[in-house]
Amino acid sequence: MEKIFAIVSTILGSIIGAGFSTGQEIFYFFSQFKEKSFLYIGFSSILIFLILFYLVNIRIKNIIILVIFKSYILVFSVITLTVMFSAFGQLGKELFGINKYVFTLLCVVLSFAIYKHGLLTIINLNKVVVSILIMTIAFIFSKFIHKNTILFQFKNLNFHLSKDIFHNLIFPLLYATYNSLLAFPVINNLEERFCKQEIKISIAISAVLTFLLILIINILLLSENWIQTSQMPLLKIEKNPVLQFVLVTCTFLEILTTILANYMGLSYSIKNHKIKFVIIIVSLILGFNEFQELLRKLYSLMGYIGLGIIIMILLSTLILKDKKLK
């Protein structure tokens, strides 16, 4: 159980980044569906489970597809690093009034120092941060329920298929694709330390916890209209200074854990340390742009490309199996 907890924490730590822990990502991808949000959240969580379960069970043998896949992970890592660096700087500016460039540089220094200590340090950091974040969000949610400030609108839910159902499904699909590929390099590293069966069980547990966390955060965001204009909506939901401090601290640390996941993505794609250093510097410079704009434009773009990559891998697997049968 201790091993499962370590793996689950590490997988969640790669998914729960700046967009997740600030609420911005969940608001953009799910809150727009109002009372139907939980259906799309459930669909996305199932997809995360299926994609990760599929990727952990295959080995890409086609050289061309492997090169394309590694190239995508490389571009993916650069874009995610850019968004994370921007988020760290924006968080410092919005909550503490400190120059965002200073905070962004601090983020690079801290993340690189943690990464240098190895995978075990990353696993232990995730175990602590993910546990605290889950308990804090659960406690805040219970407070809101007790005060009857949560707006449950499920009674208005109609289960007929909307005419825009296929258009709407693209949002949870992009979210699931993006976050699955974000977690993949982490899982790839975990395979050196844990057995495949433990990882498979952990993927299933992670998908369930992801569903519950997104659902709770989404309900919190929908309950307060006034916070939805903030770049960090979840951090504004709680007035208690102690709980707000915990949320902010967790967000800082979760940004770092997501950056660490992307460092693993860089290591998966390229081995040259000098090239990796140049990529980190480029991501840092691009990260000086606005967090909200970067997240909304780049996450959707990488979701579309990632969807294409997964379809390509799936088709190549099916063709390979077909040839073996013949």
Side-chain angles (χ1 to χ4, degrees), residues 110-244:
L110 287 174
S111 60
F112 201 70
I114 296 169
Y115 184 70
K116 280 294 182 181
H117 280 82
L119 181 61
L120 185 59
T121 302
I122 296 170
I123 290 172
N124 289 331
L125 176 63
N126 277 302
K127 283 165 66 176
V128 175
V129 179
V130 170
S131 299
I132 295 173
L133 184 64
I134 289 174
M135 288 189 292
T136 305
I137 290 175
F139 183 70
I140 292 172
F141 185 62
S142 64
K143 277 182 59 184
F144 270 67
I145 291 176
H146 180 69
K147 292 178 180 178
N148 296 317
T149 55
I150 293 291
L151 298 178
F152 290 101
Q153 302 177 35
F154 299 146
K155 61 182 180 181
N156 300 319
L157 181 61
N158 295 314
F159 283 92
H160 66 275
L161 287 177
S162 166
K163 62 180 181 180
D164 297 322
I165 185 70
F166 295 109
H167 173 265
N168 293 345
L169 285 176
I170 195 65
F171 286 92
L173 184 59
L174 293 178
Y175 182 85
T177 303
Y178 181 89
N179 282 289
S180 298
L181 290 172
L182 180 61
F184 169 74
V186 175
I187 292 173
N188 189 65
N189 274 271
L190 291 173
E191 287 182 350
E192 299 174 6
R193 186 176 290 269
F194 304 98
C195 73
K196 187 162 285 188
Q197 188 62 29
E198 291 168 339
I199 292 175
K200 288 179 180 179
I201 294 170
S202 300
I203 288 172
I205 296 172
S206 299
V208 173
L209 288 175
T210 300
F211 168 75
L212 292 174
L213 282 170
I214 296 176
L215 183 65
I216 290 172
I217 293 172
N218 184 64
I219 292 173
L220 290 171
L221 295 178
L222 289 176
S223 69
E224 299 285 358
N225 291 326
W226 64 272
I227 63 164
Q228 295 173 9
T229 56
S230 171
Q231 293 200 50
M232 312 280 172
L234 181 62
L235 303 183
K236 301 293 180 67
I237 199 78
E238 179 55 51
K239 297 293 188 298
N240 184 290
V242 175
L243 289 175
Q244 191 175 54

Side-chain angles (χ1 to χ4, degrees), residues 89-90 93 98-107 284-285 287-289:
Q90 183 65 39
K93 177 184 176 183
I98 299 174
N99 187 289
K100 71 176 183 179
Y101 301 109
V102 174
F103 249 73
T104 306
L105 289 169
L106 175 64
C107 178
L284 170 64
I285 295 169
F288 291 140
N289 290 293

Side-chain angles (χ1 to χ4, degrees), residues 62 315-326:
N62 186 297
L315 288 174
S316 69
T317 305
L318 293 173
I319 291 170
L320 185 63
K321 284 183 178 180
D322 186 56
K323 285 182 178 179
K324 285 182 178 180
L325 288 173
K326 290 179 180 179

